[in-house]
Amino acid sequence: MIYEAKVNELAEEFGVHRNTIRNWINAGILPAQEGPGRRYLIQWEDYRRLCEKYGRQPRLKSDAAAPGELPVAPRSPVAAASMPVCLDAKAKDLDTSPGLADICLTCGSCAGACPISGVDELDPRKIVRMAFLGLEDEVVASSWPWKCTLCGKCEAVCPMNVEIVQLLRRIRARCDRDKVPAAIRKGVVTCLERGNNLGIPKDDFLALAREMGEELARASCPGFVTPIDVRGTRFLVTVNSKQPFAEPEAMTWWWKIFHAAGESWTISSEYWEGINWGLHAGDYGAMRTMVKRIIDNIERLNCTALLLPECGHAYYATRYALERWFPESLQQFKIYSVFDLLLEYLNEGRIRLDPASQTKLATFHDSCNYGRHSLKAFGHGYFEEARILTKACCKRYVDLVPDREENYCCGAGGGAWADPFGAERVFHGRIKARQISASGAKLVVTSCLNCRDQILYSLNREFNLHVEVQFLWQLVANALVMPPTETREARRV
């Protein structure tokens, strides 16, 4: 007989911390195997012995088996309650492809690649089939679309190229707004009403930006002044509101690079938010409005290029919206990814990097939005650029296995870092944690704020990784060989 339980359930049962349960399993004190749905499978005798050792009564009793037969574990309530579903003719709004039933082979490749397949019965095949069969209300009402990180791993392995991610985005868009996870819903509403996800007042943001610029001037960039609403610059640079709210010094890593490169750039005093949670919420009207504000700022300040420096989804959402709703704007200005700009600086000699500045063995974690999604949507995924830049700052480097297009999501994408499904997010990230641990790297470099936070603050603790995590531009800023003042001034002319 097999006893199934989650770590938190075992911790509650035995009156210990969940990490104690994990330590028992890792040390062999509690022999257990990982099962679906974040559960562990424990032989009945091992479970009974542990109960005896700690003076606990087993929650379940071993049923007497027939002579010569082994005890059979009871069926789960979900499985026992499963009944056939009778289908009537239904209109299908989610699935607009009449050939989807023939296209999808239900081969299971997507389920095998999905890191959370099996959690609460989530299975990409089920989602595709339910959409095709007209069970739209059921799939929209489920928690599956929000536990999925939209990483696209399922699409990357699908032999028939079924667009599962776009289907899930349509499902999110169909969801009642009061059913959207609260943090994402509030972020969208606050951004629409107050100009940024966290509702930071204009005067507070401007005062902080000027103060951080003054600190940067004193520390390493003499003469630096935070450029706000400067007309005619090359770049309009957006800001992730989490940084001025929680870690304002992080803004200065980019500012230091701009200063060293002699770049012409500015920040808008209005609608400076670069993050677009309309993409996560399935709110395309909000996404369009937020991108239109960026376009208006570029036109008002007469800039010729746009940089969205803080997150993979910000770049993807903005470029997607520009190509879908504002294609004429792409003729007026150029949109840069973090990789485009940093590699341009390096190749043109506008910045110099010291590879001896970082001695730890480093690796790079590929963002799903900069990687798989950009490759599919825009024809180019940023894989090699990231490695060229990382190796320029680090003497020792190793790739994760697998990586690039086949990379596993960290578990925090698609709004999952803000969602209430924390246990599912950690479970999703277990494969990423194994990759990092197996690589031996002690420094993980990434290009997305959610990826950084998930690995640094969640996976590090849950899986005892003991790794340092840096943004790519943070790594570059720390490796900069600052040029003389006259050189920087000459570049600006």
Side-chain angles (χ1 to χ4, degrees), residues 279-402:
L279 178 69
H280 295 335
D283 190 336
Y284 290 96
M287 184 165 69
R288 187 181 189 279
T289 296
M290 295 171 193
V291 172
K292 183 60 167 62
R293 290 171 174 177
I294 293 176
I295 296 172
D296 291 343
N297 279 334
I298 290 178
E299 293 177 347
R300 175 174 63 88
L301 297 173
N302 195 28
C303 300
T304 58
L306 170 66
L307 177 69
L308 300 110
E310 263 73 43
C311 211
H313 93 263
Y315 171 79
Y316 178 86
T318 303
R319 183 166 174 183
Y320 174 85
L322 290 173
E323 293 192 0
R324 177 173 178 177
W325 294 303
F326 309 103
E328 68 283 355
S329 294
L330 293 173
Q331 306 301 317
Q332 300 171 11
F333 61 86
K334 181 177 180 181
I335 182 171
Y336 276 74
S337 74
V338 296
F339 310 98
D340 295 324
L341 185 59
L342 291 175
L343 204 56
E344 178 182 292
Y345 286 162
L346 188 64
N347 290 338
E348 294 180 358
R350 295 181 64 178
I351 59 173
R352 289 177 53 215
L353 303 175
D354 179 10
S357 62
Q358 182 56 253
T359 59
K360 293 180 179 179
L361 179 62
T363 191
F364 188 84
H365 162 67
D366 295 286
S367 158
C368 300
N369 280 298
Y370 279 127
R372 271 190 298 270
H373 291 330
S374 289
L375 177 63
K376 184 165 186 175
F378 314 129
H380 180 78
Y382 292 96
F383 302 120
E384 300 310 319
E385 296 90 341
R387 286 154 179 81
I388 292 171
L389 290 161
T390 302
K391 291 176 183 178
C393 302
C394 304
K395 281 188 172 181
R396 304 165 60 215
Y397 178 83
V398 61
D399 272 322
L400 298 177
V401 179

Side-chain angles (χ1 to χ4, degrees), residues 30-330:
L30 177 59
Q33 294 181 335
E34 288 189 17
R38 298 176 291 111
R39 293 181 175 275
Y40 280 92
L41 309 181
I42 306 166
Q43 294 294 329
W44 171 258
E45 284 302 314
D46 293 325
Y47 168 67
R48 183 186 58 78
R49 280 193 291 268
L50 191 69
C51 289
E52 290 179 354
K53 181 177 180 180
Y54 289 92
R56 301 280 177 176
Q57 286 294 325
R59 285 186 173 181
L60 300 176
K61 293 183 179 180
S62 178
D63 297 329
E69 294 183 0
L70 294 175
V72 178
R75 296 178 65 190
S76 69
V78 172
S82 297
M83 297 293 292
V85 177
C86 297
L87 299 176
D88 296 323
K90 294 185 177 181
K92 296 180 292 182
D93 296 327
L94 291 176
D95 166 38
T96 57
S97 172
L100 186 58
D102 295 328
I103 294 174
C104 175
L105 305 175
T106 63
C107 64
S109 297
C110 56
C114 175
I116 59 168
S117 183
V119 171
D120 296 327
E121 298 188 323
L122 188 157
D123 187 323
R125 290 173 296 180
K126 289 183 181 180
I127 296 172
V128 172
R129 299 303 293 173
M130 289 175 73
F132 173 76
L133 294 172
L135 298 174
E136 299 185 352
D137 293 339
E138 291 83 350
V139 73
V140 169
S142 73
S143 61
W144 295 347
W146 307 104
K147 291 177 180 177
C148 168
T149 65
L150 308 178
C151 73
K153 184 75 173 174
C154 53
E155 285 189 357
V157 300
C158 177
M160 303 307 293
N161 296 316
V162 177
E163 295 190 345
I164 304 172
V165 173
Q166 288 303 321
L167 173 59
L168 281 157
R169 292 197 193 281
R170 292 200 294 273
I171 293 171
R172 288 190 178 194
R174 280 277 306 277
C175 184
D176 291 339
R177 293 300 90 184
D178 60 350
K179 301 297 184 182
V180 174
I184 295 177
R185 182 174 72 250
K186 183 179 179 181
V188 172
V189 172
T190 303
C191 190
L192 291 175
E193 292 178 349
R194 305 184 63 181
N196 62 86
N197 284 6
L198 294 172
I200 300 173
K202 175 180 178 179
D203 291 344
D204 291 353
F205 172 73
L206 296 180
L208 176 64
R210 294 187 180 103
E211 179 183 342
M212 297 308 300
E214 292 168 1
E215 290 187 11
L216 182 63
R218 289 192 295 268
S220 59
C221 301
F224 179 88
V225 176
T226 307
I228 299 172
D229 283 341
V230 178
R231 291 181 56 80
T233 63
R234 180 189 182 203
F235 275 105
L236 173 71
V237 178
T238 61
V239 180
N240 183 330
S241 55
K242 182 178 178 179
Q243 294 195 326
F245 182 82
E247 44 183 337
E249 70 283 352
M251 295 189 296
T252 64
W253 296 326
W254 269 111
W255 300 359
K256 183 179 179 181
I257 295 170
F258 294 150
H259 191 71
E263 187 58 82
S264 169
W265 65 284
T266 189
I267 298 172
S268 174
S269 61
E270 301 276 1
Y271 301 131
W272 41 263
E273 176 72 85
I275 301 306
N276 197 321
W277 279 7
L279 178 69
H280 295 335
D283 190 336
Y284 290 96
M287 184 165 69
R288 187 181 189 279
T289 296
M290 295 171 193
V291 172
K292 183 60 167 62
R293 290 171 174 177
I294 293 176
I295 296 172
D296 291 343
N297 279 334
I298 290 178
E299 293 177 347
R300 175 174 63 88
L301 297 173
N302 195 28
C303 300
T304 58
L306 170 66
L307 177 69
L308 300 110
E310 263 73 43
C311 211
H313 93 263
Y315 171 79
Y316 178 86
T318 303
R319 183 166 174 183
Y320 174 85
L322 290 173
E323 293 192 0
R324 177 173 178 177
W325 294 303
F326 309 103
E328 68 283 355
S329 294
L330 293 173

